[in-house]
Amino acid sequence: MSASLQLNGVVIDDTFAEAFAMKASRIVITAHTLAWARRAAEAATGFATSVIGCGCEAGIEREMAPHETPDSRPGVAVLLFAMSGKELAKQIERRVGQCVLTCPTTAVFAGIAEGEAVALGKNLRFFGDGWQISKMIDGVRYWRVPVMDGEFVAQETTAVVKGVGGGNLLLLALDTDTALAAAEAAVVAMRALPNVIMPFPGGVVRSGSKVGSKYPTLSASTNDAFCPSLYGLVGRSELTPQTQCVLEIVIDGLSEADVAAAMRAGMRAGVALGAAAGLLRISAGNYGGKLGPFHFHLHRLFGADAA
């Protein structure tokens, strides 16, 4: 193991998370009630944990009060990330068409004003079968599509910008209960910040991966160095016999600073629980610094706390 420091008894590894450049967009889903806006947002961000198999990574950023939304109704902000603008545009249109257009009382708007414009309601308007109409407000075009509960309103385009994906923390704990408590606390702290999502279920992933596999058809496989059941069996384990559970949190953000802030908040939440609660170490996953241009060094993220 590399050099480390201890805060509240928790070892912070002297390592870094390696993240990648992605394309990102925010959309705002509104509805007659917040509950229906959230249902649409949850559906639209389903099966969006990893670009490895899902095409995009997406999640709910935050809930929005009526005074914050374009149509003065309750809303939910959703962030979506993909490896290319073309793929992201495809994912946005599919997910809005299948999960937002279909959901009672919803409307959808761009959540980012500046960037590369991609279709939001531009093509979905054709569902109106010729009955759709458009309206320009302050130079922005909106489409009104007749549906059985009234109208589906959609802004014509949304913006795609540069983003950062793959920031991460590894939480090493005495047991499952401790690891879950630490992960849940970290996710709560991260979700309080803007411009970030944790795309895995509940913000947490247990199937951390490494690049490559003994099977040629797989590009990624289980991170055996952090698997407690393989301690003593793999050539180089990162664990000790006391570590019985490891959970990972993956963070996507609109900027490098956003991801760094979220990681810092998550680490501090874990440290606040402390070793007395069973959290042993905080580490991070990387690929030797050769694949991703963004390196989030854990000690540096703590700043003065890590001096």
Side-chain angles (χ1 to χ4, degrees), residues 200-219:
F200 284 90
V204 184
V205 55
R206 58 113 174 244
S207 57
S209 61
K210 66 178 184 297
V211 173
S213 167
K214 66 183 291 185
Y215 304 104
T217 57
L218 293 182
S219 60

Side-chain angles (χ1 to χ4, degrees), residues 160-285:
V160 169
V161 298
K162 293 179 180 179
V164 177
N168 67 85
L169 294 173
L170 294 169
L171 306 175
L172 290 68
L174 282 173
D175 52 37
T176 301
D177 288 340
T178 299
L180 285 171
E184 289 166 0
V187 169
V188 167
M190 292 177 179
R191 284 181 172 162
L193 300 178
N195 305 329
V196 294
I197 58 166
M198 284 59 69
F200 284 90
V204 184
V205 55
R206 58 113 174 244
S207 57
S209 61
K210 66 178 184 297
V211 173
S213 167
K214 66 183 291 185
Y215 304 104
T217 57
L218 293 182
S219 60
S221 59
T222 191
N223 194 350
D224 46 51
F226 285 92
C227 290
S229 62
L230 298 180
Y231 178 78
L233 300 177
V234 296
R236 182 178 179 273
S237 176
E238 286 285 339
L239 307 181
T240 64
Q242 291 74 34
T243 307
Q244 293 299 308
C245 187
V246 180
L247 293 175
E248 182 177 9
I249 301 173
V250 175
I251 307 101
D252 296 338
L254 294 184
S255 72
E256 185 175 5
D258 291 325
V259 174
M263 289 181 61
R264 185 182 300 112
M267 293 170 67
R268 286 177 174 165
V271 165
L273 290 177
L279 182 62
L280 302 176
R281 283 170 54 202
I282 298 177
S283 191

Side-chain angles (χ1 to χ4, degrees), residues 6-301:
Q6 287 193 31
L7 294 170
N8 198 20
V10 179
V11 173
I12 311 296
D13 286 355
D14 187 9
T15 188
F16 62 92
E18 186 171 354
F20 305 85
M22 301 184 79
K23 294 292 186 177
S25 186
R26 177 192 287 116
I27 62 173
V28 173
I29 300 167
T30 67
H32 188 63
T33 65
L34 180 60
W36 280 111
R38 176 168 278 277
R39 288 184 182 111
E42 288 172 346
T45 56
F47 191 59
T49 57
S50 171
V51 292
I52 293 175
C54 301
C56 79
E57 299 177 6
I60 291 173
E61 179 188 14
R62 69 182 184 96
E63 296 178 352
M64 302 177 71
H67 72 270
E68 299 178 282
T69 66
D71 61 358
S72 299
R73 301 194 302 168
V76 174
V78 166
L79 291 176
L80 304 97
F81 296 80
M83 297 308 294
S84 70
K86 181 178 180 180
E87 178 63 27
L88 184 57
K90 181 170 66 176
Q91 291 287 336
I92 290 171
E93 190 165 273
R94 285 179 176 176
R95 291 168 183 272
V96 171
Q98 294 299 308
C99 304
V100 184
L101 168 62
T102 60
C103 185
T105 77
T106 60
V108 66
F109 305 94
I112 299 176
E114 300 295 329
E116 176 189 355
V118 299
L120 188 56
K122 183 178 181 179
N123 298 322
L124 295 177
R125 75 181 193 266
F126 295 119
F127 182 74
D129 200 28
W131 298 101
Q132 69 274 11
I133 59 175
S134 69
K135 187 172 185 177
M136 293 287 290
I137 302 175
D138 296 330
V140 178
R141 185 179 298 279
Y142 301 87
W143 286 96
R144 298 164 63 188
V145 180
V147 288
M148 293 191 299
D149 68 350
E151 290 182 331
F152 172 64
V153 176
Q155 191 167 329
E156 183 170 66
T157 62
T158 188
V160 169
V161 298
K162 293 179 180 179
V164 177
N168 67 85
L169 294 173
L170 294 169
L171 306 175
L172 290 68
L174 282 173
D175 52 37
T176 301
D177 288 340
T178 299
L180 285 171
E184 289 166 0
V187 169
V188 167
M190 292 177 179
R191 284 181 172 162
L193 300 178
N195 305 329
V196 294
I197 58 166
M198 284 59 69
F200 284 90
V204 184
V205 55
R206 58 113 174 244
S207 57
S209 61
K210 66 178 184 297
V211 173
S213 167
K214 66 183 291 185
Y215 304 104
T217 57
L218 293 182
S219 60
S221 59
T222 191
N223 194 350
D224 46 51
F226 285 92
C227 290
S229 62
L230 298 180
Y231 178 78
L233 300 177
V234 296
R236 182 178 179 273
S237 176
E238 286 285 339
L239 307 181
T240 64
Q242 291 74 34
T243 307
Q244 293 299 308
C245 187
V246 180
L247 293 175
E248 182 177 9
I249 301 173
V250 175
I251 307 101
D252 296 338
L254 294 184
S255 72
E256 185 175 5
D258 291 325
V259 174
M263 289 181 61
R264 185 182 300 112
M267 293 170 67
R268 286 177 174 165
V271 165
L273 290 177
L279 182 62
L280 302 176
R281 283 170 54 202
I282 298 177
S283 191
N286 63 68
Y287 312 96
K290 299 178 180 178
L291 299 180
F294 303 102
H295 300 165
F296 298 95
H297 292 264
L298 302 190
H299 286 192
R300 296 178 191 172
L301 288 175

